[in-house]
Amino acid sequence: MLPIASIATLCILSYVTYKYIIYPAFISPLSKIPNAHPSSPFSPLWILLKRFTDQENRSIHAAHVKHGDIVRLGPNEISVNCVDDGIRTIYSGGFEKWPWYHQFDNFGVPCMFSTAESKPHAHRRRVIANVYSKSFLQSSPEMLKISQTIIFSRVLPLLESAAMEQKPVEVLDLSHAIAMDFIVAFIFGLQNGTNFTQDVSARRQFFDTYQKRRPYRFWSSELQGLKSILNRIGPIIEPKFVQEATNYLENWTLTWTKAAEKSCATKAPDEEHIPSTTPVVYSQVHQSTLKTPFPYPQDLQIATELQDHWAAGHETTGITLCYLFHELSLHPSLQQQLRKEFLTLSPTLTYPPPTPSLPTPQTLDALPLLHACLLETLRIHAAIPGPEPRTTPSKPTSLAGSPPLPAGVRVSAQPYTLHRRADVFPDPEAWKPERWLDASEEQRAEMGRWFWAFGSGGRMCIGSNFAMQEMKLITAAIYTNYTTHIVDDEGIEQIDAYTAHPRANKLVLRYERVEN
């Protein structure tokens, strides 16, 4: 019996050695790819630890700087940093989403963003995308009414009061509030929306609840199986308040979804004197659920989609506005140049206005300096700088000069690194709007190929046009009437995470009135 036991043990050891050491390190197609860490061929522990400790983006970037356009992060994971044979192949070539995206499910139901398979995603996107197209937004009477109400009745009166009283303003919180008011009104109707811009107590209650879950994302994204097992025992890795916060947010969405449904069926009574608009996104999503066969209750299909839209719509826009305002506050002369550009609009956005009318989105979109400032902010301060993981298809595919990769490899690119290519963006760590203005057409086109703040391909951010139109209007309204000055920007550097807010979660500015 002893020789048989010895042989069995030897066979097991040989199998384990081959599978976990020899094959990944010397035989696997991934073995020809430079390692981000010496342990990368054998264990995912290094990259998991970087993600857990919020060091992922910069660690991956450092690996690309050292090793080139493709690096191996783990036994079955690689990162790329190139356009040709890189993001163009992965994100426009039908690579499916990695299960990592299930963390963005709501109510236990996938939304369009978290749907892994391309076909059901494409079905839903085709129906929804129309209301987020540039042509629709620029001609939308709902968007016009929402913009007039929020800018002239909420944002500018608030900043006017702060300027007159010389009262500093916490800008990150306010930027999230303004963005939330815009996207919620567009989704559910202005009469059903929030007024977080003015209602600070409601704002704080909501955002505090929303942000409670942020530190616990790692378990849902990377170790879903372990999380599920441990959750059966008790709140070991997630405190009870995380689930309570999730329940609160989901109930909030369901309440507004029912209100939007009612608004579509009945017109708001005039005596309420509440500005009303059609629940644009709700109506479109409702139609998509009728046309797309998903095995979930219709009300949850609608709610999961709408929750994803308001969550992404307020958080990313709020972060971007915060960093744009911070950069402009560091560059007073640029504020003056922008104001000159804004005063060419007709009508101008001076406050108080003779009549509350707005310049057309087309004229705002045509302002070159404003556009350059936004692009540069999105480049160097991307709200989502982290990797977007996909899985390699069944057909072996080469990426960035690698050998053909087998199916099921986790592969990703990240804006943080794509936006820091020194050969594309000279002096890449500097915020320089002039790089977009002074570049030749060829240079501008090349920068555009590498610009990835909204992703690319069929899964590109559906709300990119909404975000750009909204941010341009808000910025023009503010800097037409005020200059901004830094009071407290300690901790303004972005955290190293998938969604990257300021480390201190704040920015305090002072507003001064500009005489028109």
Side-chain angles (χ1 to χ4, degrees), residues 161-237:
S161 176
M164 294 296 291
E165 297 174 13
Q166 298 185 339
K167 182 179 178 181
V169 176
E170 202 288 277
V171 168
L172 177 63
D173 199 51
L174 178 61
S175 297
H176 279 139
I178 299 169
M180 189 70 166
D181 287 356
F182 264 95
I183 189 62
V184 170
F186 193 61
I187 293 171
F188 300 109
L190 187 58
Q191 68 278 15
N192 302 316
T194 55
N195 186 1
F196 287 167
T197 302
Q198 294 176 310
D199 192 340
V200 178
S201 61
R203 177 207 306 179
R204 280 272 40 95
Q205 179 186 2
F206 186 88
F207 288 150
D208 286 348
T209 304
Y210 179 82
Q211 292 162 6
K212 278 181 181 179
R213 307 182 303 166
R214 184 182 288 154
Y216 302 94
R217 282 285 192 188
F218 171 80
W219 302 100
S220 298
S221 60
E222 300 295 338
L223 297 172
Q224 296 170 14
L226 178 60
K227 174 189 169 183
S228 179
I229 292 170
L230 293 178
N231 277 352
R232 295 174 191 170
I233 302 172
I236 296 175
I237 58 174

Side-chain angles (χ1 to χ4, degrees), residues 123-177:
H123 278 307
R124 181 172 288 187
R125 185 181 179 99
R126 270 196 298 270
V127 181
I128 300 174
N130 173 59
V131 298
Y132 284 109
S133 68
K134 180 178 282 192
S135 58
F136 182 94
L137 291 167
Q138 291 185 342
S139 60
S140 167
E142 289 85 6
M143 191 64 177
L144 175 60
K145 184 176 285 190
I146 289 167
S147 300
Q148 287 176 331
T149 301
I150 293 176
I151 293 297
F152 289 124
S153 299
R154 301 181 191 178
V155 176
L156 293 179
L158 184 148
L159 295 181
E160 180 72 6
S161 176
M164 294 296 291
E165 297 174 13
Q166 298 185 339
K167 182 179 178 181
V169 176
E170 202 288 277
V171 168
L172 177 63
D173 199 51
L174 178 61
S175 297
H176 279 139

Side-chain angles (χ1 to χ4, degrees), residues 64-80:
H64 279 295
V65 170
K66 182 176 180 180
H67 296 295
D69 288 347
I70 186 167
V71 292
R72 189 180 190 180
L73 305 179
N76 196 46
E77 182 176 358
I78 62 173
S79 173
V80 300

Side-chain angles (χ1 to χ4, degrees), residues 107 180 194 196 201-213 240-256 307 310:
F107 309 92
M180 189 70 166
T194 55
F196 287 167
S201 61
R203 177 207 306 179
R204 280 272 40 95
Q205 179 186 2
F206 186 88
F207 288 150
D208 286 348
T209 304
Y210 179 82
Q211 292 162 6
K212 278 181 181 179
R213 307 182 303 166
K240 188 178 178 181
F241 66 73
V242 175
Q243 187 57 52
E244 291 173 347
T246 297
N247 294 340
Y248 171 89
L249 297 170
E250 290 181 346
N251 288 333
W252 188 90
T253 300
L254 287 172
T255 298
W256 288 124
Q307 180 153 325
W310 67 249

Side-chain angles (χ1 to χ4, degrees), residues 4-129:
I4 295 175
S6 299
I7 292 171
T9 302
L10 182 61
C11 288
I12 293 171
L13 289 174
S14 298
Y15 172 77
V16 170
T17 301
Y18 175 80
K19 182 173 182 179
Y20 294 103
I21 298 177
I22 296 175
Y23 179 81
F26 303 105
I27 301 174
S28 165
L30 277 69
S31 66
K32 309 300 188 292
I33 298 170
N35 298 314
H37 187 265
S39 67
S40 294
F42 315 112
S43 169
L45 186 60
W46 175 79
I47 190 61
L48 286 175
L49 189 60
K50 294 298 182 184
R51 287 170 181 146
F52 183 72
T53 56
D54 287 339
Q55 302 177 64
E56 178 180 21
N57 304 335
R58 291 179 175 88
S59 297
I60 293 175
H61 179 66
H64 279 295
V65 170
K66 182 176 180 180
H67 296 295
D69 288 347
I70 186 167
V71 292
R72 189 180 190 180
L73 305 179
N76 196 46
E77 182 176 358
I78 62 173
S79 173
V80 300
N81 181 42
C82 55
V83 176
D84 299 323
D85 295 325
I87 60 173
R88 181 174 293 171
T89 302
I90 299 166
Y91 299 94
S92 300
F95 284 36
E96 304 287 22
K97 284 192 168 182
W98 192 260
W100 178 89
Y101 286 91
H102 285 312
Q103 65 177 302
F104 299 104
D105 293 351
N106 306 298
F107 309 92
V109 176
C111 58
M112 183 175 64
F113 180 67
S114 65
T115 299
E117 301 81 11
S118 297
K119 200 167 184 180
H121 169 273
H123 278 307
R124 181 172 288 187
R125 185 181 179 99
R126 270 196 298 270
V127 181
I128 300 174

